[in-house]
Amino acid sequence: MALALTAQLPQETRNFGSLIIPICPLPPNSVRITIQPFTVHKRFALTISRGTTAQTTNVWVRVEQDGIEGWGEASPFSTGDRPQTTEGLVAALEHLTPLLQPFSPLDRQVIHSEILLDAGIPSAAEAALDMALWDWVGKRAGLPLWQLWGFDLGRIPPTSATIGISSPEAGRERVRNWLQVAEVDVFKVKLGSPSGLESDRALFEAVQDEAMLDGRTPNFMVDANGGWTVQEALQMADWLADRGVLYLEQPLPRGQEHDLKQLHDRSPLPIFVDESCWTSFDLPTLADRVSGINIKLMKCRGLTEALRMLHTARALGLDTMVGCYSDSSLANTAAAHLSPLLEHVDLDSHLNLVDDPFHGATLRSGRLLPNSLPGLGVERADS
């Protein structure tokens, strides 16, 4: 289903199946919010320890005032115990639209403290709205966000290309597929297979062997998505360290943060967390048991909190990376504006889409670089 809606005070109603949306004329200079779900399909389905994804229906959010339109994206996701569905994201954004009408996109502090803080909406819905507000501000200023923030694009690290859980031969084929579409300097290999550690080892060896053919020397990182026990993680950390892996991401399931300390103390590899870390409030309790964190806009509620997490992590001595779910170029371009502050980047989901409706940041020499257009710098792919 695709719909475009603007929610106002009820005067007339429009029925979209089971969804009834109030419609009425907007007062002058009111914020107009449009919500439009769109479905994207992966060129290659991605399998992690929790399952396989071949397509998702994300939500495009547009905030318009004074002839300027800011864009954001909400992507459904799950970390195992906190699923955020497309339907839930649309409903949350629909709830917010009348509350936001009296404000300007410049009223960021008021919007966050008086509306979003107590709204209890899914994090991805707030991320889309926060993205759109920043895009609006950048367009109002006539500057791309990276320049508005004073960042240096020359500091952007290469983005990794993800290899999902599969057979060794399928892993080799996926490496070849990636090398056909991009210059890849870093591969991220998903492990934590339900088939056990032998399957994990076989896949990694096949991927590394294929990726290093013809004199190539890419780097490798491993993400288990919480698929291992402490003992399995220790075994694999030793084994992977011997094969030059940079770091190990989310080896233990979310909820086992108390076990990260012994793993961190004994592992020869740096330990990063993803599902175990959502916002800056999580960082103080993790600082003594991990080496780094994976920031995702959909988890942390947008660019505003992502910036807060980056500064907090730096104060605590933690390394940082930015990741994605099944995001299009819209959300990944937004995240790319943060990447000059990061040690690692994992923004490849849009590169695996056959029908990405947007284009923005471009891949150059393995690095995802925002452009010089104002705001996020994202346009429709058919424009």
Side-chain angles (χ1 to χ4, degrees), residues 117-135:
L117 195 61
D118 298 322
I121 68 170
S123 60
E126 185 172 337
L129 180 62
D130 186 74
M131 248 182 270
L133 293 176
W134 274 114
D135 189 35

Side-chain angles (χ1 to χ4, degrees), residues 7 47 75 93 105 134 159 165 172 190 227 238 288 334 349:
T47 298
S75 303
L93 290 162
W134 274 114
T159 190
I165 293 174
R172 286 180 178 273
K190 296 283 190 176
D238 289 334
D288 69 339
S349 58

Side-chain angles (χ1 to χ4, degrees), residues 39-150:
T39 301
V40 289
H41 301 81
K42 295 182 186 297
R43 184 174 286 105
F44 301 97
L46 178 65
T47 298
I48 66 173
S49 63
R50 293 190 300 272
T52 299
T53 305
Q55 68 178 55
T56 62
T57 298
N58 301 350
V59 186
W60 180 24
V61 176
R62 289 175 282 169
V63 174
E64 189 272 331
Q65 188 180 61
D66 298 333
I68 301 171
E69 194 171 85
W71 293 2
E73 176 180 0
S75 303
F77 72 95
S78 174
T79 57
D81 61 342
R82 295 188 184 185
Q84 297 191 18
T85 66
T86 305
E87 294 77 12
L89 297 175
V90 169
L93 290 162
E94 176 197 352
H95 170 72
L96 285 176
T97 51
L99 303 179
L100 294 171
Q101 280 180 11
F103 300 99
S104 161
L106 295 172
D107 297 327
R108 304 184 56 80
Q109 186 174 21
V110 175
I111 289 171
H112 280 275
S113 63
E114 296 187 12
I115 296 179
L116 298 179
L117 195 61
D118 298 322
I121 68 170
S123 60
E126 185 172 337
L129 180 62
D130 186 74
M131 248 182 270
L133 293 176
W134 274 114
D135 189 35
W136 190 96
V137 168
K139 289 173 177 173
R140 176 70 177 267
L143 295 171
L145 291 188
W146 63 265
Q147 196 168 45
L148 193 67
W149 294 334

Side-chain angles (χ1 to χ4, degrees), residues 3-63:
L3 61 110
L5 60 93
T6 305
Q8 297 96 26
L9 299 176
Q11 172 173 314
E12 168 194 350
T13 60
R14 188 165 301 164
N15 194 327
F16 289 85
S18 61
L19 181 62
I20 297 178
I21 302 157
I23 304 293
C24 76
L26 288 173
N29 297 322
S30 291
V31 171
R32 181 185 298 273
I33 299 178
T34 306
I35 305 163
Q36 183 175 339
F38 63 96
T39 301
V40 289
H41 301 81
K42 295 182 186 297
R43 184 174 286 105
F44 301 97
L46 178 65
T47 298
I48 66 173
S49 63
R50 293 190 300 272
T52 299
T53 305
Q55 68 178 55
T56 62
T57 298
N58 301 350
V59 186
W60 180 24
V61 176
R62 289 175 282 169
V63 174

